Amino acid sequence: LYGSPFENALQFLGGESFTGVALTPAYQTSDGFLEQVFTNIVVFASPENPDAIQLRNVPAIVGIMPATPGVQQYDVTDKMVFVAVEGNLGYNIPLPLDTYLSMHGGLGVSGNPITEITLMQELGIYRQCFQTLCLDYYPSAAEAYKVLPASLGQAYLNVVKPVIPGGTIQPDDVILQSSEIFPRLSSADNQTITITLTQKYSGQGVPGMGAVLTLRNPDGSVISQADFPLTDAAGNASITLDALPDHQNGDLLLYQACLTGNTTAPICVNGSFLIWN
């Protein structure tokens, strides 16, 4: 099981009975936040203040479409609470769901409703979605378990496919690119090579990842190997190579950069530059 830097704040919301178990460790996103995915919710916060948590808008991210809000038709006598979201238009929340929310941070945590409560025929339950989570109502469950958050965390991972330093990286989830400052350079000059690692889904940089650079002669023999620094928040890392005074005019030098993290298959990018005195 993963620990969480958000534990204090999550205990205030109800702890594991509300969040579900952690599906990932906390990891840094390219926008500089710490993020962690749980069975039911996705939490993020500034690394400097992990107690000031926010929840990602998971329902929208996993493809749950908002329903059109309507005028109020029910009130507390119908065991419903009406929440207006656009003028006098809004959604009805059944009292058991409203009570559950009030015990777990209220609408300030869940956000406004985005659907009415709906029968999920195949599951035999009712579901209502809010901006950051969905609640399921189990009619035949014991009273304490009638209302529970829906398990949307795995669906979020399947869509967003965050690349987590220390986790296993799927080659299909990232794009590794490289560039060199000088396509041609004198054997007396230094060359700088930069790699950029991005998430295929979002185009965001992947921070905190290592890579190794191998430089080869035209015949494939190795000239040198060196480690890149870890990628920065934008997914970039650069390495400067020493001058190559022993090389001849016209030598085409080949390089390959490969990620050093745990990958299901090698993730590498190739490039070259020309010695031109």
Side-chain angles (χ1 to χ4, degrees), residues 2 16 18 20-21 30 70 85 129 144 160 167 196 199 220 224 230 238:
Y2 302 108
E16 197 172 285
F18 176 68
V21 299
S30 60
V85 297
C129 291
V160 174
T196 302
Q199 297 189 39
S224 64
L230 298 181
S238 297

Side-chain angles (χ1 to χ4, degrees), residues 2-171:
Y2 302 108
S4 177
F6 312 120
E7 192 165 346
N8 290 339
L10 294 176
Q11 286 302 327
F12 176 76
L13 295 182
E16 197 172 285
S17 65
F18 176 68
T19 66
V21 299
L23 299 180
T24 70
Y27 54 89
Q28 189 163 17
T29 61
S30 60
D31 53 10
F33 288 105
L34 273 182
E35 179 171 290
Q36 189 167 20
V37 181
F38 294 83
T39 309
N40 304 331
I41 61 172
V42 178
V43 179
F44 69 102
S46 162
E48 290 77 39
N49 191 6
D51 288 340
I53 59 170
Q54 301 176 68
L55 271 59
R56 294 285 186 201
N57 290 347
V58 172
I61 292 169
V62 304
I64 295 171
M65 301 299 293
T68 304
V71 296
Q72 181 173 0
Q73 294 180 310
Y74 308 103
D75 58 24
V76 177
T77 60
D78 304 299
K79 297 185 177 177
M80 291 279 196
V81 174
F82 183 76
V83 176
V85 297
E86 294 176 14
N88 64 340
L89 302 179
Y91 304 92
N92 302 282
I93 306 175
L95 276 181
L97 275 64
D98 183 67
T99 301
Y100 182 91
L101 285 178
S102 68
M103 295 167 60
H104 297 278
L107 293 178
V109 170
S110 69
N112 283 329
I114 61 170
T115 68
E116 294 287 347
I117 193 163
T118 307
L119 174 63
M120 310 286 287
Q121 196 93 39
E122 71 281 7
L123 299 177
I125 62 171
Y126 293 85
R127 176 171 292 176
Q128 183 164 27
C129 291
F130 300 77
Q131 287 170 304
T132 66
L133 55 86
C134 295
L135 293 180
D136 289 343
Y137 181 78
Y138 296 80
S140 56
E143 199 61 37
Y145 301 102
K146 281 189 181 296
V147 181
L148 294 171
S151 302
L152 300 182
Q154 187 59 54
Y156 177 86
L157 287 174
N158 293 344
V159 170
V160 174
K161 302 184 191 304
V163 177
I164 302 165
T168 301
I169 303 171
Q170 303 285 344

